[in-house]
Amino acid sequence: MTTSEKLITELEKVLSGQPWYGPSIYEVFDRVTFDSAYEKPSHAAHNVAEILLHMLSWTEEVMDRLNGMSAGMPTSGDWPPVGAPDEKKWQDWIDDIKLANVNLVRTIRDLPEEQWDTPIDDKRGDEPVTTHAELVYGFIQHQIYHAGQIAILVKIVNG
């Protein structure tokens, strides 16, 4: 199995399959109602909508890095503002992250095998250099972490 195939298998399992730790990321998203997406329990750093946009922005940044762009902050920002609650925007963001993940899988599939162990383009200087493969594995861990936060927020908000 190639590195691309391994990464795609792992990513798809976490997104919509049956990961060993519990519900997939899309299952967690399905549990979020529009009302709970914008509610921020006291002492919570972020609400679900903010976390979803953060996850989306980093999906786009990882694709940029895999496509040869220099490492940096996501174009849309680390924590993009969500604005006022809007049910259409919320559903669009769910669709956007799913489409971004389809595009990420395509990007992973298209990366040549010999490139997986090479460093990404990172001119920031003080940051550790990571390979293309480490980037994707770290991204998967990042998404799992935030899906866990969403699952907890949904339980808090919905009781």
Side-chain angles (χ1 to χ4, degrees):
M1 185 179 274
T2 67
T3 302
S4 294
E5 291 168 338
K6 289 176 190 173
L7 290 167
I8 290 168
T9 297
E10 192 63 27
L11 181 59
E12 288 178 339
K13 183 185 338 173
V14 165
L15 291 173
S16 60
Q18 295 181 341
W20 70 267
Y21 60 81
S24 70
I25 290 174
Y26 294 159
E27 285 180 73
V28 171
F29 289 162
D30 287 344
R31 296 176 183 173
V32 179
T33 64
F34 166 68
D35 293 329
S36 65
Y38 289 86
E39 191 169 332
K40 188 183 293 188
S42 70
H43 304 297
H46 300 284
N47 63 30
V48 172
E50 291 168 331
I51 296 169
L52 175 72
L53 282 185
H54 172 76
M55 292 170 75
L56 176 58
S57 67
W58 280 100
T59 304
E60 294 166 344
E61 174 63 20
V62 166
M63 275 191 293
D64 287 348
R65 292 179 188 190
L66 290 174
N67 284 314
M69 294 178 67
S70 293
M73 291 302 282
T75 305
S76 57
D78 189 17
W79 291 94
V82 297
D86 182 320
E87 195 161 359
K88 171 135 178 36
K89 275 196 313 190
W90 169 251
Q91 190 53 56
D92 287 346
W93 293 334
I94 294 289
D95 294 342
D96 290 347
I97 198 164
K98 289 180 179 180
L99 178 58
N101 283 314
V102 167
N103 291 331
L104 177 58
V105 166
R106 185 177 304 120
T107 301
I108 292 169
R109 183 177 296 117
D110 292 344
L111 199 75
E113 183 66 25
E114 63 274 6
Q115 200 167 339
W116 285 112
D117 290 327
T118 63
I120 62 167
D121 182 12
D122 192 344
K123 296 181 175 85
R124 295 174 293 174
D126 59 346
E127 296 293 321
V129 174
T130 188
T131 67
H132 288 78
E134 291 167 338
L135 171 69
V136 176
Y137 280 120
F139 168 76
I140 291 169
Q141 294 166 7
H142 175 266
Q143 300 302 74
I144 292 169
Y145 171 80
H146 287 302
Q149 286 182 309
I150 291 172
I152 291 168
L153 284 170
V154 168
K155 281 188 176 201
I156 291 169
V157 169
N158 293 340

